[in-house]
Amino acid sequence: MADPEPIPSTWQQGKPQVGAAATGNADATRAALDILEAGGNAIDAAVAAAYVMGTVEPLDSGIGAGGFMILHDAASGRTESIDFLGTCPAAAKYELYASMDAGNEYVIRVKGRENERGHRSVAVPGSVRGLGAAQAKFGKLAMADVLAPAIALAEGGFRVGHKAALRMARTEKLLSLTPATRKLLLKPDGSLYRAGDEMANPEYGASLRLIAKQGPEVLYEGVLGDLLIAEMEAHDGFLSKADLMGYEAIWRDPATARFRGYDVATMPPPSSGSLVFAGLAALEGETVTDGAHYGQLADAMLAMFRKRAASFGDPAFLKAAPGESSETTSLAVIDRDGNAACITYSNNNHSGVVLPGTGILLNNQMMLFSPWPGNPNEVVAGKRPVSSMMPSLMFRDGKIRMAIGASGSTRIPTSIMQVLFNRLVLGDALPDAVGRARVHAETESMLADQELEETVQPLADSRGLKLTLSPGRDPMLASVQAVGVNDDGTMAAVGDPRARAAGMVR
C-alpha cells in the first residue's frame, strides 16, 4: 500500500491544467485527475472514479450496483444520459402480510424481509453495463487504463475512509449474513473496520481485471455471471441467467429546464430530477431574503413531493421509493476541454450478500419497489424503480458551467435544490452554497440541521410538519459533490464536508 497522503480540504479552486473532480473519497478524486493527466477525458475520469468508489466504499456502490450518468461531449455538443438502474428479476414475487408499526399505523410488510436483505433482495446489477457503455461511446482511453486505479487499490490496499467506516457500523448486523460477507467486510477477529484502518479486496481486483480484459459481457454472459447465477440458485434467489442476458443500459434524452439564465440537463423519469427544477422555477419570481428563504424552499419541496407521489403512485403506499437508502455514491468531473460527467449510483443499502470468490457486494435494489400490487412502482419483471438520484449538468451560452450530484435518498433532490438556490439566488460561492445548513420537507415531516432550530420550528408548526433535528452536519441531510466553472476559466471543485468528501483542481 502506498504511503498515505494528507487528507485534502473539501474543496479547491484554481485554473485547471487538466480539470477538476469532486467525489466522496480522496482516492477516487485523485484517480479521476490521474486519468485526465494520462490523456483521458471527463467521461474516462468519471468512470475511473466510480470504480474506485466501489472499491474503497464497497457498501455503497460497485460492480453489484445500479444508477444514472449524465455527460456532455464538448466536441459534438451532445449531452446524453444513461440509465443503468437495477431491474426486477422475472421470477420476483413476495408474500405480504399486514401488521401495525410502532406508531400504531397499519402497514403492509414482506414476509421474511426478503426484499430488504439476502439473495431475494438483489435486482439485476446495471453498473458494469452502463459505465462500460458510456466509456466506450465517449471515452478516449482503453477500459483497462480506466480500471487501473481501482485495481491497484483493491489489490494493494487502501485506508478506510470516514464514511465507509460509518456505513459498516450502521449495517453491522448485515456484515455477518454470509461467510463471504464476513470474510470481506469484517476483520479476522470479527470486529469492524474503523476509519484509518488498512483494508484490501484482492478478489475484487481480480473481478475488475476480468472486466478490463473481457468487457461488460463477463458479468452478463461470462464467468462472473455464471458465478452470480450459481449463488442465486444455491440460495433460492430470484435472479436468473435470462435476467442477466436481457439487461440493457438505456440511453435517454435528458430532462431539460432553465433557471436564472442557466440551461439545465438532468435525469428524466424514473428519476425525479425534473421536479427539482420545476420547484426552483416556482421560486424565481419570489422576493428572497437570506434566512427567510427556508420557508420558501420548504414549500417548494412539499409541492415537489406531492407531484412526485401523484406521478409515481398512491401516497398512502408510496412515499417516494419505499426502501430508498441514503447510502449512495455521487461524483462530478469537468475537464479543461469542457467535457463533463456526473454519476450517481448505488447498492441501495446492500443485500448483505458478497458473491464468493469475487469480492462483489450485491445490491438490495428490490427494496426500491413497492411490494403492494397495483401501483405504478410495483414489482414487475424487467421494471426499473422510482429513484431520487439526479446527476445534473448546467450550461450558460452553450458552455458547461456546473456538474452536480448528491447521495442521500429523498434528500438528494432537496439538497441539490438548496445548493443551486444558494449559489444562483443568494449569490454564494460554490463552497459556501454546499456548506450552508439545510432543511428537508417531505409529506408530513421536516428534517433540519440542529443549528436551524429557531428558524425552522415555526415553519414546521405553521405547516403541520413534525420536525426532527439532525446534529453535527450529518450526511443524513445528503452529501453533495459539485464542480463549477467560473467566467474567468477557473474551476471550483467541492466535496461535501458532511461526508469528508474531496474536491480537487489540477
Side-chain angles (χ1 to χ4, degrees):
M1 184 176 68
D3 291 336
E5 296 183 33
I7 296 175
S9 61
T10 55
W11 69 277
Q12 292 180 3
Q13 181 167 316
K15 190 78 171 180
Q17 298 299 307
V18 292
T23 81
N25 186 288
D27 284 329
T29 304
R30 284 192 288 265
L33 297 176
D34 289 346
I35 288 294
L36 294 181
E37 284 194 337
N41 61 17
I43 292 82
D44 294 308
V47 172
Y51 274 109
V52 169
M53 289 298 296
T55 302
V56 300
E57 296 190 2
L59 275 66
D60 291 352
S61 58
I63 292 172
F68 298 132
M69 178 178 185
I70 191 163
L71 59 88
H72 177 70
D73 179 65
S76 65
R78 293 163 64 188
T79 301
E80 299 192 26
S81 69
I82 187 165
D83 173 346
F84 54 94
L85 277 178
T87 55
C88 179
K93 186 176 181 179
Y94 299 109
E95 185 176 342
L96 306 178
Y97 69 95
S99 70
M100 304 299 286
D101 66 11
N104 206 34
E105 293 185 3
Y106 179 78
V107 294
I108 303 296
R109 300 193 187 279
V110 173
K111 184 178 180 180
R113 297 172 58 196
E114 289 182 342
N115 65 332
E116 299 179 38
R117 53 185 290 163
H119 296 76
R120 289 191 162 199
S121 70
V122 181
V124 183
S127 61
V128 173
R129 183 79 85 191
L131 296 175
Q135 199 273 330
K137 186 173 182 179
F138 288 103
K140 295 170 62 178
L141 302 182
M143 178 57 79
D145 296 327
V146 170
L147 288 178
I151 292 170
L153 287 162
E155 296 178 344
F158 54 89
R159 294 195 183 278
V160 176
H162 167 75
K163 189 182 177 216
L166 185 63
R167 285 281 288 121
M168 291 183 202
R170 286 178 173 174
T171 63
E172 183 174 3
K173 291 182 179 179
L174 268 181
L175 305 188
S176 296
L177 190 65
T178 74
T181 308
R182 287 194 297 272
K183 175 185 173 184
L184 174 61
L185 296 174
L186 293 175
K187 294 179 180 179
D189 65 0
S191 63
L192 288 168
Y193 284 94
R194 305 294 182 184
D197 287 345
E198 296 182 8
M199 186 177 181
N201 190 351
E203 291 179 343
Y204 194 74
S207 297
L208 291 171
R209 286 187 181 276
L210 285 173
I211 295 169
K213 183 178 181 180
Q214 300 179 31
E217 296 308 314
V218 73
L219 179 62
Y220 300 93
E221 299 182 25
V223 62
L224 290 180
D226 292 341
L227 291 170
L228 176 54
I229 298 309
E231 177 73 5
M232 290 292 143
E233 291 176 346
H235 296 278
D236 202 24
F238 292 133
L239 192 61
S240 72
K241 187 69 172 177
D243 293 321
L244 278 182
M245 293 181 68
Y247 183 84
E248 294 183 2
I250 301 175
W251 290 98
R252 301 187 188 275
D253 292 332
T256 58
R258 188 167 177 82
F259 182 69
R260 292 272 169 157
Y262 288 83
D263 295 303
V264 179
T266 189
M267 292 301 302
S271 167
S272 52
S274 60
L275 296 179
V276 168
F277 294 98
L280 283 170
L283 296 174
E284 198 153 12
E286 298 279 347
T287 300
V288 176
T289 57
D290 194 358
H293 69 285
Y294 286 108
Q296 295 165 312
L297 285 166
D299 289 337
M301 293 171 193
L302 293 169
M304 178 180 69
F305 283 112
R306 284 194 296 270
K307 290 179 182 177
R308 174 168 163 158
S311 299
F312 292 131
D314 183 345
F317 298 102
L318 185 61
K319 298 176 182 177
E324 195 167 15
S325 169
S326 61
E327 313 305 343
T328 307
T329 291
S330 191
L331 58 98
V333 183
I334 299 177
D335 66 32
R336 65 183 175 188
D337 297 320
N339 302 295
C342 193
I343 296 171
T344 307
Y345 81 131
S346 178
N347 273 331
N348 199 43
N349 193 52
H350 80 78
S351 64
V353 177
V354 169
L355 183 58
T358 69
I360 300 169
L361 179 61
L362 299 171
N363 71 77
N364 72 336
Q365 288 195 339
M366 289 306 296
M367 196 175 172
L368 295 173
F369 293 97
S370 172
W372 186 260
N375 73 82
N377 199 38
E378 68 179 314
V379 175
V380 175
K383 190 171 185 175
R384 294 164 197 249
V386 175
S387 176
S388 294
M389 296 185 287
M390 52 164 296
S392 303
L393 302 177
M394 300 184 69
F395 303 84
R396 192 170 60 213
D397 300 325
K399 302 294 185 183
I400 187 71
R401 284 293 179 264
M402 187 184 297
I404 184 168
S407 59
S409 182
T410 57
R411 276 83 70 194
I412 292 172
T414 58
S415 66
I416 290 177
M417 177 186 287
Q418 285 171 94
V419 169
L420 295 179
F421 185 92
N422 297 343
R423 176 75 182 95
L424 302 178
V425 178
L426 299 183
D428 287 351
L430 189 57
D432 297 327
V434 173
R436 272 189 190 253
R438 292 182 198 146
V439 64
H440 171 83
E442 178 182 357
T443 315
E444 298 174 349
S445 63
M446 178 179 283
L447 176 66
D449 284 317
Q450 190 166 29
E451 66 202 79
L452 293 177
E453 181 176 9
E454 290 186 8
T455 298
V456 299
Q457 185 68 67
L459 300 177
D461 292 342
S462 65
R463 290 160 177 80
L465 306 176
K466 180 181 178 181
L467 176 64
T468 301
L469 297 172
S470 175
R473 295 294 182 93
D474 192 280
M476 181 176 291
L477 271 160
S479 174
V480 178
Q481 323 306 336
V483 176
V485 181
N486 301 312
D487 291 339
D488 62 0
T490 59
M491 292 186 186
V494 183
D496 201 319
R498 292 172 186 269
R500 302 187 189 179
M504 303 182 197
V505 179
R506 188 185 294 174

